[in-house]
């Protein structure tokens, strides 16, 4: 069952996402008409997903896809599997994707999808049936020129392969361009799996370099040890930083002299969790408030709020996750002199290499990993430079500068295209 455009007026992204849009719109002096168009998603889909469980019983899950704005190109955004997935969260993430793609100069509009499910509670067979049913419910609304899903929290290359196969079966031929973040064997890109974490590492490097510092021995704390957090930790360690603490949903682990990230990854592979890893244990709060130079929240949104903001001891907060700092906490951090590198810049490496994967697929020409990483670095450093230059010129935070650039590019495209009919 699909409910299209269901009560668009109630599909409200978080107050935080709306307040940043408002601030950027004011700085850009956008007309109220343009702001009104930018404030509403193009299409909102809620789908009910009956799945035959291994027990023989049927369970019905709920899935979403919010397509925010396609003025620059096809919709693009991840698919999240998490028990807390809800429509307003998906709508917020779709909005962030819109500004992120524009900030990076990618020809994409923003989207996001998700299913309210704890993927760890399902067998592989159940997950596959759920993913294929979700895809078939969205089949008319996705496609290489329409909307291109990618992995997000709780999904990976495996789910993208199932989406691609289900979509292709309906089309009667292989359509690799319908998803990005897929396995290499079916047209994925080298470097895609590590891209978001690599981007986070590059952004940390850039921030420190601009402050006349290097990564050597710099204490780093990472919340979330999944695709983004673990890769960022691994690459930062390789670049000379000292990762003193990491966490997953079960808890945090700390070693003052620096953790061994490879050893943590091996432990996680063997135990499917970090629980029991031999290091000093920390609560989530304890981890986030540790003295360190760089703090990377790379798990969930709203992790640093007004209660925690005064206790943060890092000099830089790099938003690996989407929306991990609330708007009020962001203002408090700024007032305390903590530099926050916003999500739409800090974690843009993923969509960037997704774009490179899409380009390689459309041109049937695949690149080696150094070329992918070089392009990633080029795009990301250019975007960082544009954001930092604007922030300095206008005396605004890096977040507002990033929003001004992203929102401004979407607004300019909207004005150039005009209103149909
Ligand atoms: P993932 O599922 O691979 O990993 C998430 C990690 O967070 C896991 O280690 C999980 O145990 C941990 N976690 C969950 N709840 C936690 C809690 N309360 N405290 C500490 N850790 C907790 O997800 P991911 O792909 O790494 O995504 C993480 C964040 O980065 C999300 O906000 C996602 O939207 C964002 N992001 C991901 C990508 C990507 O390419 N994967 C791109 C851009 C942004």
């Amino acid at each position: 069952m699909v409910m299209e455009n269901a009560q668009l007026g109630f599909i409200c992204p978080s107050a935080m996402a709306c307040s940043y849009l408002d601030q950027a719109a004011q700085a850009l002096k956008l007309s109220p008409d343009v702001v009104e168009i930018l404030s509403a998603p193009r299409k909102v889909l809620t789908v009910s997903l009956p799945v035959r469980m291994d027990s023989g019983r049927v369970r019905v899950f709920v899935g979403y896809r919010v397509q925010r704005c396609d003025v620059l190109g096809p919709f693009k955004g991840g698919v999240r599997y998490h028990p807390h997935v809800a429509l307003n969260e998906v709508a917020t993430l779709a909005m962030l994707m819109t500004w992120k793609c524009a900030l990076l100069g990618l020809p994409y509009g923003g989207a996001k999808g998700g299913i309210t499910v704890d993927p760890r509670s399902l067998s592989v067979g159940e997950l596959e049936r759920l993913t294929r049913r979700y895809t078939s419910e969205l089949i008319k609304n996705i496609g290489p020129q329409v909307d291109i899903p990618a992995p997000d929290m709780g999904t990976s290359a495996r789910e993208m392969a199932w989406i691609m196969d289900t979509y292709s079966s309906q089309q009667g031929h292989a359509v690799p361009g319908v998803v990005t973040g897929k396995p290499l064997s079916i047209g994925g890109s080298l470097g895609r799996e590590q891209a978001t974490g690599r981007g986070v590492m590059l952004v940390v490097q850039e921030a420190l370099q601009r402050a006349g510092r290097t990564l050597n021995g710099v204490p780093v704390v990472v919340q979330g040890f999944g695709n983004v957090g673990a890769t960022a930790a691994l690459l930062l360690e390789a670049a000379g930083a000292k990762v003193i603490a990491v966490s997953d949903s079960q808890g945090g682990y700390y070693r003052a002299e620096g953790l061994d990230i490879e050893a943590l990854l091996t432990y996680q592979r063997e135990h499917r969790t970090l629980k029991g890893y031999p290091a000093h244990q920390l609560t989530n709060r304890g981890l986030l408030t540790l003295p360190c130079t760089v703090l990377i929240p790379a798990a969930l949104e709203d992790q640093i709020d007004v209660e925690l903001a005064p206790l943060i001891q890092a000099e830089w907060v790099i938003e690996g996750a989407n929306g991990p700092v609330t708007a009020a906490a962001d203002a408090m951090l700024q007032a305390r002199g903590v530099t926050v590198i916003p999500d739409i810049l800090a974690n843009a490496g993923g969509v960037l290499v997704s774009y490179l994967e899409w380009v390689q697929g459309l041109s049937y020409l695949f690149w080696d990993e150094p070329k992918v990483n070089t392009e990633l670095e080029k795009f990301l450093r250019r975007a960082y430079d544009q954001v930092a230059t604007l922030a300095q010129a206008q005396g605004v935070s890096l977040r507002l500068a990033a929003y001004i650039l992203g929102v401004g590019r979407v607004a300019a495209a909207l004005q150039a295209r005009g209103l149909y009919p």
Side-chain angles (χ1 to χ4, degrees):
M1 183 185 58
V2 181
M3 286 178 276
E4 281 196 17
N5 292 338
Q7 298 169 308
L8 283 188
F10 293 104
I11 310 309
C12 184
S14 71
M16 172 180 78
C18 294
S19 91
Y20 296 143
L21 169 61
D22 286 347
Q23 289 174 46
Q26 273 179 29
L28 288 158
K29 298 189 175 50
L30 295 182
S31 78
D33 288 350
V34 170
V35 176
E36 193 163 344
I37 296 172
L38 292 181
S39 300
R42 276 289 307 280
K43 197 178 269 192
V44 177
L45 301 156
T46 302
V47 292
S48 102
L49 307 166
V51 174
R52 177 84 56 199
M53 306 303 280
D54 293 346
S55 65
R57 291 287 315 268
V58 170
R59 224 175 116 189
V60 180
F61 297 86
V62 179
Y64 306 100
R65 187 77 183 164
V66 175
Q67 299 176 330
R68 180 87 209 166
C69 176
D70 62 350
V71 71
L72 287 169
F75 298 106
K76 182 91 191 81
V79 178
R80 178 175 288 195
Y81 289 1
H82 192 274
H84 295 155
V85 163
L87 188 50
N88 65 340
E89 179 197 68
V90 176
T92 300
L93 294 168
M95 193 186 212
L96 291 183
M97 275 304 290
T98 308
W99 318 137
K100 190 186 298 182
C101 292
L103 172 64
L104 269 291
L106 308 181
Y108 286 142
K112 204 78 183 188
I115 301 177
T116 313
V117 59
D118 179 357
R120 289 171 311 177
S121 68
L122 267 56
S123 70
V124 174
E126 289 166 343
L127 273 173
E128 178 172 354
R129 293 192 289 281
L130 177 63
T131 304
R132 289 186 183 278
R133 184 66 194 233
Y134 176 68
T135 310
S136 71
E137 293 294 340
L138 297 180
I139 209 105
K140 293 197 178 103
N141 295 283
I142 59 174
Q145 308 298 339
V146 183
D147 183 355
I148 307 150
D152 191 74
M153 217 160 150
T155 59
S156 64
R158 180 183 66 179
E159 284 74 17
M160 296 308 112
W162 292 332
I163 294 177
M164 183 241 168
D165 184 66
T166 307
Y167 183 85
S168 300
S169 304
Q170 301 286 322
Q171 303 299 313
H173 56 92
V175 189
V178 67
V179 286
T180 57
K182 54 194 172 288
L184 284 176
S185 55
I186 53 171
S189 175
L190 289 164
R192 173 59 185 90
E193 209 179 331
Q194 286 203 320
T196 311
R198 182 175 295 281
V200 170
M201 182 274 286
L202 289 168
V203 162
V204 175
Q205 213 176 43
E206 188 75 34
L208 266 70
Q209 244 170 36
R210 283 166 185 263
R213 312 247 299 258
T214 70
L215 269 174
N216 261 344
V218 160
V220 174
V221 169
V222 183
Q223 183 202 35
F225 202 66
N227 176 287
V228 181
T231 307
L234 190 68
L235 296 176
L236 281 163
E237 181 191 52
K242 185 169 67 167
V243 181
I244 57 169
V246 300
S247 66
D248 67 6
S249 57
Q250 315 273 307
Y253 305 86
Y254 168 73
R255 205 174 277 158
E257 62 278 20
L259 292 159
D260 179 341
I261 305 300
E262 270 298 354
L264 277 157
L265 280 165
T266 306
Y267 188 93
Q268 189 186 50
R269 264 194 300 275
E270 284 165 3
H271 299 82
R272 294 189 72 193
T273 170
L274 294 177
K275 200 171 179 181
Y277 184 78
H280 182 72
Q281 289 204 11
L282 289 167
T283 60
N284 199 31
R285 189 186 173 89
L287 176 114
L288 292 170
T289 56
L290 272 177
C292 62
T293 303
V294 175
L295 171 63
I296 307 175
L300 298 168
E301 41 278 329
D302 298 339
Q303 293 298 295
I304 301 176
D305 56 15
V306 287
E307 272 180 37
L308 271 187
L311 308 175
I312 298 294
Q313 300 195 59
E315 292 173 59
W316 281 274
V317 173
I318 315 284
E319 293 188 324
N322 287 308
V325 179
T326 67
D330 189 56
M332 290 169 84
L333 290 174
Q334 212 184 316
R336 290 187 48 223
V338 179
T339 305
V340 180
I341 315 270
D343 43 15
I344 61 171
L345 175 63
N347 68 32
V351 69
L352 198 42
V353 177
S354 274
Y355 164 66
L356 300 177
E357 176 180 330
W358 184 68
V359 166
Q360 292 171 74
L362 293 178
S363 59
Y364 301 96
L365 185 64
F366 290 88
W367 307 341
D368 59 18
E369 196 163 350
K371 179 164 165 73
V372 174
N373 290 344
T374 304
E375 289 297 315
L376 163 65
E377 190 166 344
K378 193 173 78 188
F379 270 88
L380 212 50
R381 289 199 194 275
R382 185 178 61 198
Y384 195 114
D385 189 57
Q386 290 170 347
V387 170
T389 305
L390 187 76
Q392 196 169 27
Q394 299 201 4
V396 297
S397 67
L398 293 171
R399 188 187 307 279
L400 183 52
Y403 268 74
I404 291 172
L405 286 165
V407 172
R409 286 175 187 159
V410 178
L414 198 62
Q415 279 162 323
R417 285 181 58 162
L419 192 61
Y420 173 85

